[in-house]
């Protein structure tokens, strides 16, 4: 049996999305910017896709949603164009972000630090989140941008975006939120959240890889990251990947309409809880960050005495796909940076396993995964040189 439990890394393209995309490869293949009918025949579905995107995040008609290659591009665009607009050409020289952002944010900020920009990386608490008060205290007169994610890709923890947005509005500071792991899992309402910009990526909500977006609230000026043609009203040059844009719109529609969200919470949340409850019955296991206030599909669990990579290998031998954290960072054998941010000691930080489900998982798959996780833990602990089960005091009398 093949059981895919790494949906925070990427998801399967929904068949309905694929059907929507098909005509735009070999039949309706014109360049949307061409004046002839081959080009204009793409417009109807492209406009429908934009409508789905605006509807999915409750963007106002006067706001912009710019199609990008992925969330990484959108994140880099925000960080580097704020540097251009407000730091190089302005009086600002400070950015506030968090220690647990995706590398697409932290690496871009590290790059700017080499250019002399000051960056505050806010710590998270033992629950893996930070509060708006911490952001308020970090904002300075020369702060150009606050960028705090909507939901964390490894723990699923949801950040107080609305409260942070209110603080940024009060302080007159631009607020960006990386919503890549939130869309399709929890409600993302950009007007309610006081946010100026959000990033997203289609392949996180059953759309195609290689297409994403940047939402920009009306009135927010941001120099283009890509110059050239007049696509996207000159805000992002380059011929749009028509099929992928249409696929992303359809995926957003499917993922965010009322039924889908309710289904995600009830179905996916129930499956995640069943998996998590079973693993927590194994001694010396803990959910990193606790079980509250998370996206319904994610669990990051530490299994003491079991190296994350060893566990992944064992599960993979049985057709089960999981991860130790962001795929972008999981090739190296460094400790999980998010767990480090929690203050986990080095040993614990190597024991994290992330399971991230989707609406395409079912109970039979979860039962299969539970069976093989238990067997893998027993096998790996038996060969561990460092793990010995020590019954808790209340058990010692058994
Ligand atoms: C919060 C967040 N932001 C940005 C990205 C980058 O998205 P991309 O540009 O479409 O690649 C990811 C991908 N996160 C992960 C990729 O693999 N495992 C992950 O957790 C993410 O989780």
């Amino acid at each position: 049996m093949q059981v895919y439990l790494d949906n925070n890394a990427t998801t399967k393209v929904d068949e309905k999305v694929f059907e929507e995309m098909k005509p735009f490869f070999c039949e309706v293949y014109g360049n949307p910017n061409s004046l002839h009918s081959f080009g204009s025949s793409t417009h109807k579905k492209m406009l429908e896709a934009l409508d789905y995107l605006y509807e999915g995040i409750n963007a106002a008609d006067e706001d912009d949603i710019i199609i990008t290659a992925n969330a990484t591009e959108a994140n880099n665009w925000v960080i580097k164009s704020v540097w251009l607009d407000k730091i190089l050409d302005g009086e600002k020289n400070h950015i506030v972000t968090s220690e647990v952002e995706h590398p697409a944010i932290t690496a871009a900020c590290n790059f700017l630090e080499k250019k002399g920009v000051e960056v505050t990386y806010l710590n998270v608490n033992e629950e893996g989140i930070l509060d708006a008060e911490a952001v308020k205290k970090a904002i300075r007169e020369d702060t150009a941008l606050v960028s705090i994610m909507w939901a964390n890709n490894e723990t699923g923890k949801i950040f107080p975006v609305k409260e942070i947005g209110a603080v940024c509005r009060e302080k007159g500071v631009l607020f960006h939120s990386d919503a890549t792991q939130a869309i399709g899992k929890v409600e993302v309402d950009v007007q309610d959240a006081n946010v100026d910009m959000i990033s997203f990526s289609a392949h996180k909500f059953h759309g195609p890889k290689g297409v994403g977006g940047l939402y920009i609230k009306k009135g927010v000026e941001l120099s283009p990251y890509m110059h050239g043609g007049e696509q996207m009203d000159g805000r992002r040059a380059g011929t749009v990947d028509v099929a992928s844009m249409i696929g992303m719109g359809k995926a957003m529609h499917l993922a965010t309409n009322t039924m889908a969200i309710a289904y995600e919470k009830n179905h996916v949340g129930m499956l995640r809880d069943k998996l998590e409850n079973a693993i927590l019955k194994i001694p010396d296991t803990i959910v990193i960050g606790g079980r509250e206030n998370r996206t319904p599909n994610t669990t990051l669990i530490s299994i003491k005495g079991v190296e994350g990579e060893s566990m992944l290998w064992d599960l993979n031998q049985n057709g089960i796909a999981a991860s130790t954290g962001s795929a972008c960072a999981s090739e190296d054998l460094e400790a999980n940076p998010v767990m480090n941010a929690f203050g986990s000691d080095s040993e614990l930080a190597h024991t994290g396993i992330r399971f991230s489900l989707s609406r395409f998982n079912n109970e039979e798959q979860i039962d299969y995964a539970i069976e093989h996780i238990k067997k893998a833990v027993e096998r790996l602990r038996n060969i561990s040189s460092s793990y010995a089960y020590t019954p808790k005091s209340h058990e010692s009398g058994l």
Side-chain angles (χ1 to χ4, degrees):
M1 181 186 282
Q2 293 289 309
V3 181
Y4 185 71
L5 300 175
D6 198 19
N7 287 278
N8 285 7
T10 196
T11 61
K12 171 182 107 166
V13 172
D14 190 312
E15 300 288 343
K16 300 184 188 76
V17 168
F18 184 51
E19 287 306 314
E20 202 81 358
M21 294 172 66
K22 274 185 191 170
F24 296 90
F25 293 100
C26 304
E27 296 159 46
V28 189
Y29 54 80
N31 183 323
N33 296 86
S34 297
L35 298 179
H36 48 61
S37 59
F38 282 80
S40 60
S41 59
T42 63
H43 294 176
K44 182 170 181 288
K45 274 296 188 181
M46 288 176 76
L47 290 171
E48 181 188 74
L50 278 177
D51 286 345
Y52 283 150
L53 296 176
Y54 274 76
E55 172 196 57
I57 61 172
N58 191 33
D61 290 347
E62 62 270 19
D63 298 338
D64 271 347
I65 292 182
I66 307 298
I67 307 303
T68 63
N70 44 42
T72 295
E73 177 190 332
N75 286 344
N76 274 268
W77 180 7
V78 170
I79 300 288
K80 291 169 184 174
S81 287
V82 163
W83 172 51
L84 282 172
D85 299 340
K86 294 185 177 292
I87 295 175
L88 282 191
D89 296 350
E91 302 78 48
K92 309 290 186 181
N93 193 44
H94 180 234
I95 290 174
V96 175
T97 187
S98 83
E99 272 203 326
V100 294
E101 301 292 317
H102 184 270
I105 291 288
T106 49
C109 286
N110 295 163
F111 173 75
L112 293 194
E113 286 182 293
K114 295 187 176 78
K115 306 291 181 184
V117 177
E118 292 179 23
V119 181
T120 299
Y121 300 90
L122 293 172
N123 293 325
V124 292
N125 58 28
E126 66 284 351
E127 292 183 353
I129 55 172
L130 53 86
D131 61 29
E133 196 51 36
V135 175
K136 190 170 186 176
K137 285 179 184 154
I139 290 174
R140 307 175 339 195
E141 282 301 310
D142 66 336
T143 301
L145 173 73
V146 169
S147 179
I148 302 289
M149 65 191 348
W150 204 295
N152 183 266
N153 48 312
E154 298 185 23
T155 60
K157 286 289 182 175
I158 300 165
F159 284 70
V161 174
K162 184 172 181 177
E163 293 76 5
I164 294 170
V167 163
C168 292
R169 192 124 308 165
E170 176 197 332
K171 294 276 191 176
V173 175
L174 215 47
F175 176 40
H176 164 258
S177 185
D178 179 353
T180 305
Q181 293 289 351
I183 290 181
K185 298 167 185 161
V186 291
E187 187 176 18
V188 171
D189 181 332
V190 291
Q191 295 188 65
D192 182 55
N194 303 308
V195 70
D196 294 307
M197 297 175 279
I198 72 165
S199 310
F200 54 89
S201 231
H203 71 106
K204 306 296 185 181
F205 48 89
H206 304 290
K209 295 171 185 59
V211 65
L214 181 64
Y215 159 81
I216 308 176
K217 186 177 177 59
K218 179 182 181 337
V220 172
E221 292 179 8
L222 192 71
S223 291
Y225 188 53
M226 308 274 272
H227 292 85
E230 281 308 305
Q231 293 88 353
M232 297 282 143
D233 294 329
R235 298 199 84 163
R236 199 266 189 181
T239 300
V240 173
D241 178 338
V242 175
S244 293
M245 174 185 173
I246 289 164
M248 178 162 69
K250 183 70 174 177
M252 176 82 84
H253 182 63
L254 292 170
T256 56
N257 68 49
T258 311
M259 180 58 73
I261 285 280
Y263 180 64
E264 190 94 281
K265 278 183 186 159
N266 299 339
H267 172 70
V268 174
M270 180 274 287
L271 293 179
R272 189 275 310 273
D273 292 347
K274 178 171 186 175
L275 175 66
E276 200 169 63
N277 289 335
I279 298 173
L280 290 173
K281 287 194 172 76
I282 301 170
D284 295 326
T285 53
I286 185 171
V287 173
I288 301 300
R291 306 182 74 179
E292 304 306 318
N293 193 28
R294 295 180 293 172
T295 49
N297 79 312
T298 302
T299 178
L300 179 64
I301 288 196
S302 167
I303 303 174
K304 192 173 180 184
V306 174
E307 276 276 329
E309 285 76 21
S310 309
M311 185 67 166
L312 288 189
W313 185 87
D314 212 297
L315 294 177
N316 189 48
Q317 293 301 103
N318 292 291
I320 300 165
S323 81
T324 55
S326 172
C328 328
S330 60
E331 269 65 49
D332 54 37
L333 295 183
E334 286 177 19
N336 182 312
V338 169
M339 291 176 72
N340 276 333
F342 281 53
S344 309
D345 61 50
S346 175
E347 192 223 348
L348 181 69
H350 281 86
T351 62
I353 293 281
R354 179 185 72 183
F355 298 99
S356 46
L357 286 66
S358 86
R359 63 178 188 260
F360 292 104
N361 289 121
N362 60 48
E363 195 146 12
E364 184 191 8
Q365 292 174 342
I366 298 304
D367 291 341
Y368 176 84
I370 289 168
E371 177 196 346
H372 286 282
I373 290 165
K374 287 177 179 172
K375 287 178 181 168
V377 172
E378 186 176 357
R379 190 181 73 76
L380 293 170
R381 279 180 170 171
N382 283 341
I383 61 175
S384 166
S385 57
S386 61
Y387 181 78
Y389 172 56
T390 47
K392 294 182 177 59
S393 54
H394 68 270
E395 292 172 340
S396 57
L398 296 179

